[in-house]
Amino acid sequence: MTTAENTPLIDVSPLPEGLPARLVEQLTFLAEVDKLKTVLRQSPLAAAARRENDAEHSWHLALMVTLLAEYADEPVDVGHTVELVVVHDLVEIYAGDTPLYDDEGRTSQEERERAAADALFGLLPADQGELLRAWWDEFEARVTPEARFAKAMDRLQPLLLNWMAQGGTWRTPGVTADTVRARKSCIGEASSALGSLARTLVDEGERRGWVERGHDNTDPVVG
Amino acid sequence: MTTAENTPLIDVSPLPEGLPARLVEQLTFLAEVDKLKTVLRQSPLAAAARRENDAEHSWHLALMVTLLAEYADEPVDVGHTVELVVVHDLVEIYAGDTPLYDDEGRTSQEERERAAADALFGLLPADQGELLRAWWDEFEARVTPEARFAKAMDRLQPLLLNWMAQGGTWRTPGVTADTVRARKSCIGEASSALGSLARTLVDEGERRGWVERGHDNTDPVVG
């Protein structure tokens, strides 16, 4: 997290004088979150030869929630689940997308993301900053059905992209089918039907040689 | 709309045999919509030197709805308004983003978009295809408070990006401040506070020379 990254984008083109203070805070935040479009993930797009960014990923999750909520094992509030996925990656604007096998990065990830949440949500009017912070905390803690289903979509979406890429990040050195299966287990915790789908895709990917067979002891962190 | 564009992405990597038919239709659609990440808009990002794509734009609108719904002049269901913005540009996957001054393109736009909606939403199970089609029709018709507010966000977001770019597409030859003001009038139809904001930004942009002064008779179609 450098100073340059924390310079609000709005400083490039400050808003005119005389606008209501609350609206200025909201617009400052809404300009700042444009940065989410520049945070690259590991996943390859299905539709183009480039990596996905966090804004595209978040939009894709919103549509997945809408269409797949019928498979949630517990009833979920679809609107609130969409809210969770729309905000779930915002902290990466300042904290970055922690690479999957960066063990050192992952150790400091929680601390960096909390500092990022303080800085980013602090741009908003206090009530809305607290609301988005609460949604992000809810997503991370996974203690509500909505957060569990949102997390399941967050794991299912890159699995679908890896399937479309006939491997994708499954081909990362050191990753095996068991690594992927462990990483995807949280899908089954929210939806037995989608957990079964995830296992089918990984099993078939393993059979086709899109992911290395066998077991390993690395942290199960692949997309 | 070429044959190549209409070839479903899922054909690149067909799903395994034996999955439930309804789930296969849903996943076919969810893979296909990855193409929204490749549909470029005219608007420049605030955070990078490139044009925005439709998926990024749709995500940005979802967050704007969440934070700015308090300014709607009529009460709006925030969750449903988010649904509308998440799906509002999907038809552009097959129909493309019609360039702002492509008069011929704009004449055929409605017909092309209806054909695109038939093709794209037809990939889904019938009940969900009808649901998303109804949401898109609702957005286009602007007869509900949610659709009016969604449309206002669709016009306010590129205005914010143009402000951040100190002109952006306002600098398109032939565009004047009056062109932009006419284009933005629908913001005030959903929210007097945000309509006032839009006028302030355009007036100030005109004062600073970011958009040409004066009046013209072109179709008010600038972002």
Side-chain angles (χ1 to χ4, degrees):
Chain A
M1 186 161 40
T2 70
T3 305
E5 282 170 343
N6 278 333
T7 302
L9 278 177
I10 202 75
D11 289 358
V12 173
S13 193
L15 293 163
E17 302 285 323
L19 293 173
R22 179 175 174 87
L23 185 55
V24 167
E25 290 178 331
Q26 291 163 323
L27 294 173
T28 296
F29 177 85
L30 287 168
E32 188 70 358
V33 299
D34 206 65
K35 292 177 178 173
L36 198 71
K37 303 167 188 173
T38 70
V39 180
L40 288 182
R41 296 168 48 80
Q42 301 298 318
S43 306
L45 293 191
R50 66 167 172 84
R51 284 160 61 191
E52 186 180 44
N53 68 56
D54 271 348
E56 296 169 330
H57 165 71
S58 299
W59 166 80
H60 210 163
L61 295 194
L63 196 52
M64 289 178 72
V65 167
T66 302
L67 293 173
L68 301 180
E70 66 188 41
Y71 297 110
D73 289 338
E74 300 166 281
V76 295
D77 178 321
V78 174
H80 182 51
T81 312
V82 170
E83 289 170 337
L84 294 181
V85 300
V86 166
V87 306
H88 84 290
D89 269 343
L90 283 173
V91 297
E92 296 190 358
I93 287 173
Y94 294 144
D97 181 44
T98 302
L100 301 173
Y101 289 95
D102 177 358
D103 286 341
E104 190 178 339
R106 293 186 69 81
T107 303
S108 66
Q109 183 179 8
E110 188 172 321
E111 187 183 336
R112 285 182 296 112
E113 291 193 347
R114 287 190 181 281
D118 290 343
L120 187 66
F121 298 139
L123 297 174
L124 280 169
D127 61 315
Q128 290 192 320
E130 286 163 19
L131 182 69
L132 266 62
R133 176 61 180 255
W135 290 350
W136 179 65
D137 287 339
E138 179 185 348
F139 176 84
E140 291 290 313
R142 264 187 269 173
V143 291
T144 60
E146 287 77 14
R148 277 190 290 272
F149 195 75
K151 192 72 183 179
M153 295 300 96
D154 192 34
R155 293 284 164 86
L156 181 60
Q157 191 257 2
L159 190 154
L160 184 60
L161 290 181
N162 280 339
W163 175 266
M164 295 300 295
Q166 306 191 347
T169 65
W170 291 351
R171 297 181 188 273
T172 306
V175 169
T176 72
D178 280 351
T179 321
V180 179
R181 273 187 280 266
R183 175 71 167 171
K184 301 303 175 188
S185 62
C186 70
I187 299 172
E189 291 165 16
S191 164
S192 51
L194 298 179
S196 172
L197 163 69
R199 283 189 299 278
T200 298
L201 294 180
V202 177
D203 290 352
E204 183 64 18
E206 182 180 26
R207 203 185 62 76
R208 296 184 188 187
W210 297 353
V211 58
E212 195 181 324
R213 289 172 187 269
H215 198 78
D216 68 18
N217 297 310
T218 62
D219 190 27
V221 288
V222 76
Chain B
M1 186 159 44
T2 70
T3 304
E5 281 170 343
N6 278 334
T7 303
L9 279 178
I10 202 74
D11 289 357
V12 173
S13 193
L15 293 164
E17 301 285 323
L19 293 172
R22 180 175 174 87
L23 185 54
V24 167
E25 291 178 330
Q26 292 162 324
L27 295 173
T28 296
F29 176 85
L30 287 168
E32 188 71 357
V33 299
D34 206 64
K35 291 177 178 173
L36 199 71
K37 303 167 188 174
T38 70
V39 180
L40 288 182
R41 295 168 49 79
Q42 301 298 318
S43 305
L45 293 192
R50 66 168 174 83
R51 285 160 62 191
E52 185 180 44
N53 69 54
D54 270 349
E56 296 169 329
H57 164 71
S58 298
W59 166 80
H60 210 163
L61 295 193
L63 195 53
M64 289 178 73
V65 167
T66 303
L67 293 172
L68 301 180
E70 66 189 40
Y71 298 110
D73 289 338
E74 300 167 281
V76 295
D77 179 321
V78 174
H80 182 51
T81 312
V82 170
E83 289 170 337
L84 294 181
V85 301
V86 166
V87 306
H88 84 290
D89 269 343
L90 282 173
V91 297
E92 296 190 359
I93 287 173
Y94 295 144
D97 181 45
T98 302
L100 300 172
Y101 288 96
D102 177 357
D103 286 340
E104 191 178 339
R106 293 186 69 81
T107 304
S108 67
Q109 182 179 8
E110 188 173 320
E111 186 184 336
R112 285 182 295 111
E113 290 193 346
R114 287 190 183 281
D118 290 343
L120 186 67
F121 299 138
L123 297 174
L124 279 169
D127 61 317
Q128 291 193 320
E130 286 163 19
L131 182 68
L132 266 61
R133 177 61 180 256
W135 289 350
W136 179 64
D137 287 340
E138 179 185 348
F139 176 83
E140 291 290 312
R142 264 188 270 173
V143 292
T144 60
E146 286 76 16
R148 276 190 289 272
F149 195 75
K151 191 73 184 180
M153 295 300 97
D154 192 35
R155 293 285 165 86
L156 181 60
Q157 190 258 1
L159 190 153
L160 183 60
L161 290 182
N162 281 338
W163 175 267
M164 296 300 294
Q166 307 192 345
T169 65
W170 291 351
R171 297 181 188 273
T172 306
V175 169
T176 72
D178 280 351
T179 320
V180 179
R181 273 186 280 266
R183 175 72 167 170
K184 301 303 175 188
S185 62
C186 70
I187 299 173
E189 290 165 18
S191 163
S192 51
L194 298 178
S196 173
L197 164 69
R199 282 189 300 278
T200 298
L201 294 179
V202 178
D203 290 352
E204 182 65 18
E206 182 179 26
R207 203 186 62 76
R208 296 184 188 186
W210 296 353
V211 56
E212 196 180 323
R213 289 173 187 270
H215 198 78
D216 69 17
N217 297 310
T218 63
D219 190 27
V221 287
V222 74

